[in-house]
Amino acid sequence: QRQAVSLGRFVLDPITELTKRWCIDSKTGKNEILSLPLHPNMADVNPQKMLTSFRKVLMDITNEVGVMLNLSSQRDFLAGPIQFLSGLGPRKAKNLVFELKKKGRFISREILLKKHILGPTVYKN
């Protein structure tokens, strides 16, 4: 049943489902995205180089497509892409989602700066 839900979410929003896999697997100790069977020769590529490339591509795509922050902060399964926005990373993304849940919805991006949810440097990026 879990796979069916994940597959349905992948059809609706593939970026969100891929970015949710960007975490350390508790069993293997590796990034979970490396366990996806994307190509038969994946085992021949240095995992660190692959992760670096995956991160760059996910950042490019996420920044090009955008993220609905209000919706992502209300639904935990949609929060994955936030860490790939310019100026954010996993820690700042988690803090941003926490602050948005605490302070509620916002109308425009400027409110993120006025309510001190984002600092000026991160906001500019």
Side-chain angles (χ1 to χ4, degrees), residues 59-125:
M59 286 179 75
D60 290 343
I61 291 171
T62 302
N63 287 308
E64 188 175 320
V65 173
V67 176
M68 293 185 282
L69 288 176
N70 283 325
L71 187 60
S72 295
S73 65
Q74 294 170 355
R75 310 245 190 276
D76 289 335
F77 70 91
L78 294 173
I82 295 175
Q83 67 178 318
F84 294 99
L85 292 173
S86 291
L88 298 178
R91 192 182 71 223
K92 288 180 184 174
K94 194 179 284 188
N95 290 339
L96 175 62
V97 170
F98 176 78
E99 289 295 324
L100 290 174
K101 284 181 180 180
K102 190 169 85 174
K103 296 185 179 180
R105 298 176 60 94
F106 63 95
I107 307 291
S108 68
R109 286 181 34 189
E110 288 78 27
I111 292 175
L112 295 173
L113 188 59
K114 290 177 185 175
K115 287 189 174 184
H116 303 288
I117 295 174
L118 290 178
T121 306
V122 174
Y123 176 79
K124 188 172 132 183
N125 286 335

